[in-house]
Amino acid sequence: MDHVVGSASRKRWGYGASIAQFLAEDPQLIVGELTTWSSFAVDPSQKVAWLEQISLLKKLLNPYAAARGALFFEYDIPRLGLRVDTVLVLEHVIFVLEFKVGARDYSRDAIDQVWDYALDLKNFHDASHTAPIVPILVATKAATAPLRITIGHHQDSVPIPLRCNDESLTDAIKLGLQHFQSGGIDPGQWQQGRYHPTPTIVEAARALYAGHTVGEISRSDAGAANLTVTANRLAELIARTRQRGEKAIFFVTGVPGAGKTLVGLDIANRHTDKSDNLYSVYLSGNGPLVKVLHEALARDQVTRAKLSGEGLRIGEARSAVKQFIQNVHHFRDDCLASSDAPIEHIALFDEAQRAWDLHETARFMQTKKGLPGFNESEPDFLISCLDRHDDWAVVVCLVGSGQEINRGEAGISEWLTAIRKRFESWQIYLSPRLREIEYHADAELEAIRSSSRTHWDGALHLATSMRSFRSERVSEFVNLLLALEVESARDALAKVLPNFPIRLTRHLGHAKEWLRQQARGSERYGIVVSSQAQRLKPHAIDIRVKVDPVQWFLESKEDVRSSYYLEDVATEFQVQGLELDWTCVVWDGDLRLNRNQWEHFSFKGKRWERIHKDVRQRYLLNAYRVLLTRARQGMVIVVPEGSADDPSRAPAYYDPAFKLLASLGIPEL
């Protein structure tokens, strides 16, 4: 392989070459190519750092001039919005090198950073799946550290990062080559490998906002191809609606974690110019999700501005982000304050099934807004806001199944009722999966089934979970578990466990230890519990202590407020729509198993009280559905033993649920 060249749309590195070509190349020409390729302003210190890296690598690789291999400088990782300093493919091993030129210590953040890079390649780059990948942190002026290959709990040939200085890097490369004895890697085939990332919603939002497309930051294998298909189909139908001067509502469905939010963010991100007739806004009633995305995007913009040599204040960044992603209630309030049409022609409502019904909307308007007699449900009013446009308008409802978790959340029927009874000129585009029982929309769907303005489109359903790149069957297993379809749940679990570890324990301490053992690099982990879990206080879990979701989801391992500390817990209200790599779900006596059926409880005063209303029972079951589907890589479930001395924590409240989970085949810690 000679000088590595990729097309403009595929090249993911600033400079790439075979080892022989690199050794013959003028360092200044390499720096020139890197400078030309960089999307950021390159200051003199960066050029000096590149020259030192080049010098080190030329010295290191000189003995390997005839070896099979290649190296790639500034290798792009779109999912993380970062670049690897150098990826070295040498014989049968991939080395991921992060240089800290002039650094005198091996910082924890830098170790996690290079580990993240290696794991990203292992998980999402198809040509790297089976190869050993050795992450190496090179702090050029640090003291010499012991070199040892340690794989840890994951047998996937990605060891704990090696720590080297400019003198010991050669020994680290030799150690990696000696330790792994797999078959050789063809550098030409490797550099043509496809990248199929599965980002978290925070990572996806960052990448989209930074200019990447859905195709660049999502899986494109056969099982997940319809994420791009759905986004493009939706864009096509919106363009057609505009061209025809129509008004239309779209219902996009998907399994938990399938990427509904990503589709909404993609459409909104395509049209962020207020002068654009297709100007869009992404709206969500999920306050924690909006806050986390606002802060994550703002921080990312400030960082990017700094790298490009520009100054951007965090307040300015936050203001800009809030135009792209808005809380649906702020949008509603703006429409209440003015009868004019909103500036946006396209409104994308995430988790549309959680919009309020007429009773809850009227109650809120009277008590919070001083507007008695309000006679519109939230869907009715929100559609009316877009209907104010004289020419055309689009409402996109991103719909999850089994996700209603709070009082007054109407499900999807309220939207269908509004569009059928009041907005008779609007076109209706429906995912066929809305017919399924968990959407609770049969009557309204039947009422509009034969209408000429009703259009069914299979591309509007996202069938594959993108949250868990290790197993898309997790949501299927959870649904079967909560439906108490025991044999089917057992069969589904057997298909999940090989790729997605689930463990069961009665001891929170064991669960915490397991989480810390599983997580690598900056993989995020945390404890999640039901908002009704009032009797976990003996385990130092008090749901009355409200966590700040921004701090819990975004702060580092050194911050006691972060999820990493395993001290503060989040409930379904803080985590819905978001995800972690590893979760600990702690089960309480609010959801109990009795004679093969669930019983639902709420703790009031000093005792548990049975929940009788069907809708509140459904909310509680959905809360556990949310909690059990937050993990991307694995989870541990804690069912406490209870206490015979505490009537509010009687063992009988917990034992049947534990026995059920164990009987399904979940391994115990």
Side-chain angles (χ1 to χ4, degrees), residues 288-540:
L289 172 66
V290 171
K291 289 179 180 178
V292 170
L293 291 181
H294 277 173
E295 188 63 19
L297 294 184
R299 293 182 185 183
D300 191 54
Q301 286 300 99
V302 170
T303 300
R304 290 178 181 278
K306 184 177 180 180
L307 289 173
S308 63
E310 302 172 3
L312 179 64
R313 300 174 68 175
I314 189 68
E316 295 176 293
R318 287 170 179 153
S319 295
V321 168
K322 287 178 181 177
Q323 300 304 311
F324 168 45
I325 298 173
Q326 294 184 31
N327 190 300
V328 67
H329 300 143
H330 296 163
F331 180 83
R332 175 203 62 204
D333 291 348
D334 287 343
C335 290
L336 281 172
S338 171
S339 60
D340 295 338
I343 188 174
E344 302 90 357
H345 277 73
I346 305 167
L348 303 112
F349 295 98
D350 201 4
E351 297 179 7
Q353 76 283 353
R354 297 187 63 189
W356 287 341
D357 58 21
L358 173 59
H359 179 267
E360 186 63 21
T361 306
R363 186 194 66 81
F364 175 85
M365 290 298 185
Q366 179 168 342
T367 58
K368 301 295 185 180
K369 298 295 180 182
L371 296 174
F374 196 84
N375 62 352
E376 296 174 279
S377 68
E378 194 167 35
D380 206 336
F381 179 70
L382 293 172
I383 297 172
S384 76
C385 297
L386 274 296
D387 193 52
R388 297 173 187 176
H389 286 288
D390 293 328
D391 45 4
W392 69 281
V394 163
V395 169
V396 178
C397 293
L398 305 166
V399 187
S401 63
Q403 300 286 296
E404 303 90 356
I405 58 175
N406 210 348
R407 180 181 65 184
E409 293 178 355
I412 208 61
S413 289
E414 203 73 43
W415 291 92
L416 295 168
T417 299
I419 209 74
R420 176 175 63 87
K421 290 185 175 180
R422 183 175 172 190
F423 303 99
E424 298 178 355
S425 64
W426 282 56
Q427 298 297 304
I428 309 170
Y429 293 84
L430 300 156
S431 160
R433 300 296 286 270
L434 281 171
R435 296 188 181 103
E436 295 179 356
I437 189 170
E438 62 262 34
Y439 292 101
H440 305 285
D442 288 351
E444 282 301 326
L445 290 173
E446 181 62 27
I448 63 172
R449 182 176 61 85
S450 58
S451 172
S452 61
R453 61 192 179 114
T454 300
H455 315 278
W456 300 91
D457 194 323
L460 298 181
H461 177 70
L462 295 160
T464 303
S465 175
M466 303 290 287
R467 173 172 297 128
S468 173
F469 60 87
R470 294 194 180 280
S471 177
E472 66 271 13
R473 294 181 176 271
V474 175
S475 60
E476 174 192 356
F477 162 68
V478 171
N479 287 338
L480 291 168
L481 164 65
L482 295 178
L484 292 177
E485 297 182 22
V486 176
E487 289 304 319
S488 297
R490 185 178 290 115
D491 292 342
L493 178 66
K495 297 172 183 175
V496 166
L497 286 176
N499 297 312
F500 186 94
I502 302 177
R503 297 294 183 266
L504 180 64
T505 182
R506 311 215 73 167
H507 305 287
L508 183 58
H510 294 170
K512 290 181 177 181
E513 181 182 359
W514 185 82
L515 284 181
R516 295 187 179 108
Q517 290 173 346
Q518 301 304 310
R520 297 181 286 181
S522 63
E523 291 175 349
R524 186 167 288 272
Y525 50 87
I527 302 173
V528 295
V529 302
S530 160
S531 60
Q532 297 297 321
Q534 294 274 9
R535 292 306 300 138
L536 296 177
K537 285 189 283 185
H539 305 281

Side-chain angles (χ1 to χ4, degrees), residues 65-208:
R68 179 169 55 178
L71 74 171
F72 306 85
F73 282 78
E74 297 296 314
Y75 192 92
D76 197 21
I77 305 286
R79 181 182 71 92
L80 300 176
L82 297 170
R83 293 172 184 160
V84 185
D85 284 341
T86 307
V87 176
L88 170 63
V89 180
L90 181 58
E91 296 290 1
H92 54 281
V93 178
I94 300 167
F95 295 93
V96 177
L97 308 176
E98 180 64 21
F99 289 89
K100 300 300 180 184
V101 175
R104 296 186 177 278
D105 58 19
Y106 305 103
S107 74
R108 178 74 257 176
D109 286 346
I111 292 171
D112 284 347
Q113 181 182 8
V114 71
W115 211 349
D116 288 345
Y117 293 155
L119 292 170
D120 189 273
L121 288 175
K122 171 62 70 171
N123 292 326
F124 306 124
H125 183 242
D126 60 6
S128 302
H129 288 337
T130 59
I133 303 178
V134 179
I136 302 177
L137 171 62
V138 187
T140 59
K141 301 305 179 185
T144 302
L147 293 176
R148 181 172 56 252
I149 298 290
T150 304
I151 298 298
H153 292 272
H154 300 267
Q155 300 301 313
D156 58 0
S157 300
V158 180
I160 295 171
L162 300 178
R163 299 172 297 156
C164 305
N165 56 28
D166 52 4
E167 297 292 332
S168 58
L169 178 56
T170 298
D171 292 335
I173 298 296
K174 290 180 180 178
L175 179 64
L177 292 173
Q178 292 169 359
H179 183 87
F180 295 103
Q181 300 297 322
S182 60
I185 302 170
D186 185 316
Q189 292 182 0
W190 184 88
Q191 63 101 2
Q192 294 176 20
R194 295 175 298 174
Y195 180 59
H196 301 315
T198 305
T200 68
I201 190 58
V202 172
E203 292 167 347
R206 284 174 177 150
L208 287 171

Side-chain angles (χ1 to χ4, degrees), residues 518-571:
Q518 301 304 310
R520 297 181 286 181
S522 63
E523 291 175 349
R524 186 167 288 272
Y525 50 87
I527 302 173
V528 295
V529 302
S530 160
S531 60
Q532 297 297 321
Q534 294 274 9
R535 292 306 300 138
L536 296 177
K537 285 189 283 185
H539 305 281
I541 294 176
D542 189 349
I543 61 168
R544 297 174 302 175
V545 178
K546 302 300 181 185
V547 303
D548 182 330
V550 170
Q551 297 165 349
W552 201 78
F553 275 104
L554 298 182
E555 300 302 352
S556 68
K557 294 178 180 177
E558 289 72 35
D559 195 315
V560 298
R561 302 165 299 178
S562 74
S563 66
Y564 290 118
Y565 254 72
L566 301 179
E567 291 182 1
D568 294 330
V569 303
T571 72

Side-chain angles (χ1 to χ4, degrees), residues 563-631:
S563 66
Y564 290 118
Y565 254 72
L566 301 179
E567 291 182 1
D568 294 330
V569 303
T571 72
E572 69 271 20
F573 296 117
Q574 283 98 37
V575 302
Q576 188 174 43
L578 293 158
E579 60 261 299
L580 301 95
D581 289 292
W582 305 88
T583 62
C584 169
V585 181
V586 187
W587 207 289
D588 200 11
D590 53 338
L591 187 64
R592 307 174 195 169
L593 188 64
N594 183 23
R595 297 180 181 178
N596 297 320
Q597 65 180 13
W598 295 116
E599 292 184 340
H600 315 75
F601 290 84
S602 175
F603 196 79
K604 299 292 180 63
K606 61 180 181 180
R607 63 173 62 87
W608 292 101
E609 294 182 358
R610 188 183 295 271
I611 296 173
H612 294 287
K613 291 185 177 180
D614 289 345
V615 66
R616 289 190 59 210
Q617 291 181 358
R618 189 167 78 244
Y619 290 161
L620 180 58
L621 208 62
N622 286 344
Y624 274 86
R625 194 186 319 276
V626 168
L627 300 176
L628 292 165
T629 56
R630 291 310 94 189

